[in-house]
Amino acid sequence: MSAPHTPRGQIQPGQIVELTIDNVAHGGRFVGRHEGRVVFVPDTIPGETVRAQVVDVKKSFATAVALDVVEASPDRVPHVWAEASIDRLPAERAGGAEFGHIALPRQRQLKQRVIEDALERTGGMTREVPVAAAPGDDARGGLAWRTRVRLHVDDRGRQGPFAPRSHEVVPVTSLPLATEGIQRSAQLDQPLPRVTAVDYVEWSEGEVDVIAMEGEPERGRTDTIVETVNGREFQLDRSGFWQVHREAPALLTDAVRRAIDVDRVDAAGWSLDLYGGVGLFAATIAEALGERTRVTSVEADEVATDHASENLAEWLGASAETGRVDRWLRELGKRASRAERERLSRGLVVLDPPRAGAGRDVIEQVVGLEPAQIVYVACDPVALARDAKLLAEAGWQVDSLEAFDLFPHTHHIEAVASFRR
């Protein structure tokens, strides 16, 4: 009796395979092929040959972990974070620096490929999108930029991030992506009994907070602190959201301001800052359009909205409202008078949605307002491409698009796009 036939490309979990990596995929993984089947594997670089162990097999693809490099890319460098190196067992590699083994210029080329591929595959558009470095990052080798770090604590009191795609704590002795202030403040060699997580936060004035937590992190109002962006002060809650990269607030503010077409948008119209946080971009809108600006910031977090009201107080036409963006827009559509709709049609809409993007419901409601311009701040290229396609189907096209490497040594990208009818 002959042996059973094995379908071409079939592999099993646990199997060790040799792969040649030929592309980068969204999410910090790279693409190899085993007898025609796509295999996603991190810790590699296009052009390399690696040995990898299969961990999961789906109908059309598999995932694997890299074990060692057979033939290295010329862009491979010693990992910037020793605890994340391929020299360690996969389960013992620290998460949060998945591009740290790649030369910095090559990282940006790969991120450019990811965003351009997302726009083409998901958004149906072909566009060149170079990824720009943040000020100072090249001189620092892409290190010491992270102003907010959360480390988890294992049952022995040791601090570290989770391993990739895991909830296992990897104890670490260094934090090379964190600011120098955080690196000095993080006593990684000291055990922390009864603590489940530690937040390290450096404010713009250089002060570092060390916040130890027992159990799940609490939400709600804590202390008010002040961040400074381009000379303007913003109040926010000590535990509230703020951009992680030390240069991100100023860089994104400048990018949004460049994107605003002051000839197209009427300051006396009604502009919206959706997912507005503490009013960073609402203030940018008001500064760009002038003292007559009417702008409303919409944010689901009530504490952030309270701070936004304070941060926007100098503009008589500025306000902040608490609400889920989709529900707030739905109510606006029901109650807006003819005069309000006319003002909305002369105003601007800025969206800064979470990683999942705005989605069809929000995009359709924004389009229904017929604003003069839409500016979209994106932290995920696929979500941006998906929402850009929805806008294109409604008659809007990309006018400008800038991408920024605000997360060196990780796969993340930030982008600012403007759309016009």
Side-chain angles (χ1 to χ4, degrees), residues 83-420:
E83 286 95 341
S85 172
I86 196 172
D87 297 333
R88 296 166 66 101
L89 293 174
E92 297 175 1
R93 296 172 194 165
E98 59 276 11
F99 275 19
H101 61 291
I102 308 172
L104 204 53
R106 182 64 171 147
Q107 290 184 35
R108 295 187 187 125
Q109 291 174 356
L110 293 170
K111 293 180 182 186
Q112 178 174 347
R113 184 184 300 179
V114 167
I115 192 169
E116 289 175 356
D117 186 64
L119 289 171
E120 183 173 354
R121 291 175 179 268
T122 304
M125 66 185 74
T126 301
R127 193 179 187 97
E128 185 176 354
V129 190
V131 177
D137 276 357
D138 284 338
R140 293 182 176 91
L143 304 177
W145 53 266
R146 194 176 185 100
T147 63
R148 282 147 175 78
V149 176
R150 170 165 292 177
L151 297 182
H152 303 277
V153 181
D154 68 9
D155 54 8
R156 295 170 58 184
R158 298 176 300 177
Q159 302 175 62
F162 287 141
R165 292 167 290 280
S166 166
H167 285 86
E168 292 296 320
V169 177
V170 178
V172 296
T173 60
S174 64
L175 297 170
L177 302 190
T179 62
E180 293 175 356
I182 290 177
Q183 293 182 49
R184 288 192 297 269
S185 300
Q187 297 180 353
L188 301 175
D189 58 344
Q190 300 296 317
L192 299 175
R194 299 181 301 277
V195 171
T196 56
V198 183
D199 280 353
Y200 296 96
V201 182
E202 180 173 316
W203 311 114
S204 55
E205 66 220 11
E207 178 187 354
V208 176
D209 277 348
V210 181
I211 307 167
M213 291 166 278
E214 298 181 24
E216 290 297 315
E218 295 184 5
R219 298 193 64 178
R221 185 181 294 277
T222 58
D223 297 333
T224 296
I225 57 91
V226 175
E227 291 279 14
T228 303
V229 182
N230 291 336
R232 177 175 294 280
E233 293 185 344
F234 289 87
Q235 296 182 15
L236 65 146
D237 200 67
R238 189 176 295 276
S239 62
F241 171 79
W242 191 250
Q243 292 288 341
V244 171
H245 193 292
R246 55 189 164 70
E247 298 289 345
L251 188 150
L252 292 175
T253 293
D254 292 344
V256 168
R257 187 157 188 169
R258 284 193 299 273
I260 296 173
D261 187 344
V262 295
D263 295 326
R264 181 182 297 270
V265 180
D266 184 355
W270 185 5
S271 294
L272 304 177
D273 175 22
L274 305 180
Y275 313 93
V278 297
L280 179 66
F281 296 137
T284 305
I285 294 169
E287 287 180 337
L289 300 181
E291 60 182 18
R292 295 171 56 242
T293 301
R294 180 181 180 185
V295 59
T296 300
S297 174
V298 183
E299 166 59 48
D301 186 325
E302 184 177 0
V303 176
T305 304
D306 288 345
H307 287 301
S309 295
E310 293 292 331
N311 295 333
L312 300 172
E314 71 180 78
W315 292 284
L316 294 177
S319 61
E321 298 190 18
T322 302
R324 262 183 45 172
V325 167
D326 56 344
R327 296 174 182 171
W328 190 91
L329 287 171
R330 198 173 298 121
E331 288 302 312
L332 176 65
K334 293 177 181 177
R335 63 176 169 78
S337 66
R338 180 179 297 180
E340 287 175 324
R341 287 189 172 277
E342 194 276 333
R343 286 196 295 271
L344 286 162
S345 72
R346 293 186 282 117
L348 161 77
V349 174
V350 173
L351 303 96
D352 183 15
R355 197 167 302 283
R360 180 177 293 276
D361 187 19
V362 169
I363 292 296
E364 288 181 347
Q365 292 183 73
V366 168
V367 167
L369 299 177
E370 300 183 336
Q373 187 187 14
I374 297 171
V375 174
Y376 190 118
V377 182
C379 59
D380 183 277
V382 173
L384 169 62
R386 187 167 53 242
D387 288 343
K389 183 177 182 181
L390 294 172
L391 286 166
E393 291 170 351
W396 290 75
Q397 65 181 20
V398 176
D399 197 21
S400 66
L401 176 56
E402 294 185 273
F404 305 99
D405 188 15
L406 295 184
F407 308 90
H409 303 297
T410 82
H411 73 275
H412 297 292
I413 318 165
E414 199 87 14
V416 176
S418 69
F419 294 84
R420 60 180 173 86

